[in-house]
Amino acid sequence: MTKYVHGTKKILDDISFRIRRGEILGVAGVEGNGQKEISEIITGLDRLYEGKVTVGEDGSDVRTLTVRTLREKGIAHISEDRMTYGIVGDGSISDNIIADRYYKKEYKKGPLLDQKKINRISDDLIKEFAVKCDNREQPIRMLSGGNMQKVVAAREFMSGASLIIANQPTRGIDIGASDFIRRRLVELRTKGAGVLLISADLNEVLEVSDSLIVMHNGRIAAYFQEAGAVTEEELGEYMLGVKAMSEEQIKGVTEDE
């Protein structure tokens, strides 16, 4: 996968990796080294790139699919910009929870929405994800950042996704909400989902990830099969370009296990 900015500069420089079921693959790196572009390409928000990205059992190329179809193929996305891509600010908590599935038959009653079912699901998720709010009809913009993120997580994590792209999922939220979201990511991985965790928080990416890639200057500078065995100091050397692994060392991230 290669991605250019300003026509000539490579923000992603011929990178290749595989996200496996039942694994959290962490992505570490100084911001601006291609992490954001990776998440947007996989989720269909950016199509201006060279190469191929395939998803699902049939290996569909994401460039041929709409964002809705990608979601129906089992891709969930927590964006680093929740105000733009994560929520509808003036919508209610309930509206935001069903925003990706309101059109499906199971949420309909004839030509109309099955409001009783939607209310029940919303109330259940508000309770399960410990969202602090007045009620499901409260505009989501009135919540704290941590509670907004819990609503986003409730929608994305309860969608039955087989692949979760989590880009800075705990940025700007309190410790309690951060721990909650991290635990949920681990639970989903344990249930068989593949997770791509992009985070500028080194503690987070080291503690939550199973394996880990490090981005520098648009390339994969290192791959660690066991994220727990890496120190922050070692990670920093690859993030800053002081060290870089050989192609032979990195190729493990593209192989089936």
Side-chain angles (χ1 to χ4, degrees), residues 3-12 37 46 48:
K3 164 75 177 174
Y4 294 88
V5 291
H6 305 306
T8 56
K9 181 183 176 183
K10 291 180 179 179
I11 190 67
L12 290 175
E37 287 74 17
D46 186 347
L48 300 175

Side-chain angles (χ1 to χ4, degrees), residues 26-243:
V27 182
V30 177
E31 290 192 64
N33 279 273
Q35 300 94 309
K36 171 173 166 273
E37 287 74 17
I38 288 172
S39 71
E40 292 186 350
I41 286 170
I42 295 173
T43 55
L45 297 178
D46 186 347
R47 299 180 187 275
L48 300 175
Y49 62 92
E50 295 176 356
K52 190 174 183 181
V53 178
T54 59
V55 297
E57 300 296 334
D58 59 356
S60 299
D61 188 341
V62 303
R63 229 185 312 210
T64 67
L65 306 175
T66 65
V67 171
R68 176 179 286 188
T69 303
L70 285 169
R71 295 189 68 86
E72 290 176 346
K73 278 187 167 289
I75 297 180
H77 182 210
I78 297 181
S79 171
E80 67 173 334
D81 185 356
R82 62 175 168 264
M83 300 305 293
T84 300
Y85 296 115
I87 66 167
V88 177
D90 289 330
S92 68
I93 295 169
S94 182
D95 290 341
N96 277 273
I97 284 174
I98 67 155
D100 66 330
R101 65 201 75 174
Y102 66 90
Y103 61 92
K104 295 184 178 181
K105 286 184 179 179
E106 58 262 42
Y107 295 94
K108 297 278 191 175
K109 200 169 186 179
L112 304 175
L113 291 173
D114 187 344
Q115 201 59 53
K116 285 186 178 180
K117 182 175 183 177
I118 291 169
N119 290 346
R120 184 177 69 253
I121 290 170
S122 298
D123 289 341
D124 288 347
L125 289 178
I126 286 169
K127 182 177 180 180
E128 182 178 348
F129 281 75
V131 179
K132 294 180 180 178
C133 61
D134 294 337
N135 54 58
R136 62 176 176 269
E137 298 304 324
Q138 185 175 4
I140 195 171
R141 59 180 167 74
M142 296 180 66
L143 302 185
S144 68
N147 283 295
M148 284 184 194
Q149 195 74 334
K150 284 182 178 180
V151 174
V152 173
R155 181 185 65 232
E156 301 301 313
F157 292 172
M158 302 306 290
S159 65
S162 57
L163 173 60
I164 299 156
I165 310 300
N167 188 1
Q168 314 296 349
T170 63
R171 170 177 285 169
I173 63 177
D174 61 82
I175 293 173
S178 296
D179 287 344
F180 182 91
I181 289 171
R182 289 168 184 163
R183 287 197 305 271
R184 286 286 178 157
L185 285 171
V186 172
E187 288 173 10
L188 290 165
R189 177 262 281 156
T190 302
K191 291 178 180 177
V195 179
L196 185 71
L197 172 62
I198 300 170
S199 180
D201 184 334
L202 296 188
N203 285 328
E204 178 171 80
V205 81
L206 288 173
E207 291 176 8
V208 179
S209 304
D210 298 305
S211 56
L212 178 66
I213 60 176
V214 183
M215 295 293 298
H216 174 70
N217 201 25
R219 298 183 63 85
I220 297 176
Y223 167 60
F224 299 97
Q225 190 171 0
E226 299 291 336
V230 187
T231 66
E232 286 191 29
E233 290 76 16
E234 185 177 9
L235 202 59
E237 291 181 314
Y238 289 102
M239 288 171 60
L240 296 174
V242 176
K243 295 171 68 175

